[in-house]
Amino acid sequence: MNATDMLQRISESFGSTASVKSVFGEPIRADGRTVVPIAKIAYGFGGGAGTGRAGANPDRQGEGGGGGGGVRAVPAGALEITDHGTRFIPFIDVRSVSLAFAAGMVLGRLTLARRRS
């Protein structure tokens, strides 16, 4: 299999999973409300190949290649649909908020330390 064929197979594999259902989950209906879960989806893939001399023998030709990819899905929030309207309810990423808080504390302490010096 050459590099072009390999990249084609990888992209077809990821392309078949990229759908609306990957981002929007199945709607849930209860008490006059419809809730639609929403996710952030990120795809990435790559590959490469090469040819060249195989070892010290100039008559032997070598060929190699490889590839891979990944998918990341993170809950983003939900749409709440009622008779009164539709609203987006974001899910808060606790790690991001915690990191921002910690960074603010460190910067605050550094600023105070500079003012006292």
Side-chain angles (χ1 to χ4, degrees):
M1 176 184 301
N2 64 30
T4 305
D5 293 338
M6 182 174 31
L7 287 174
Q8 183 69 28
R9 286 184 68 190
I10 292 170
S11 65
E12 286 172 0
S13 174
F14 283 122
S16 66
T17 62
S19 68
V20 173
K21 286 188 177 184
S22 298
V23 177
F24 297 98
E26 293 294 326
I28 301 163
R29 292 175 180 82
D31 298 329
R33 289 187 162 102
T34 302
V35 177
V36 180
I38 298 174
K40 293 179 189 178
I41 310 289
Y43 294 90
F45 68 95
T51 60
R53 292 189 192 149
N57 188 346
D59 296 331
R60 291 183 55 201
Q61 196 70 1
E63 183 178 314
V71 178
R72 180 174 184 238
V74 179
L79 281 179
E80 180 186 55
I81 305 166
T82 65
D83 293 338
H84 303 293
T86 301
R87 69 181 180 134
F88 176 71
I89 305 166
F91 295 156
I92 297 172
D93 183 8
V94 176
R95 283 186 293 170
S96 297
V97 172
S98 298
L99 285 172
F101 180 75
M105 292 293 290
V106 169
L107 288 174
R109 284 190 175 215
L110 290 173
T111 303
L112 285 176
R114 275 193 163 172
R115 284 188 177 181
R116 291 183 183 166
S117 299

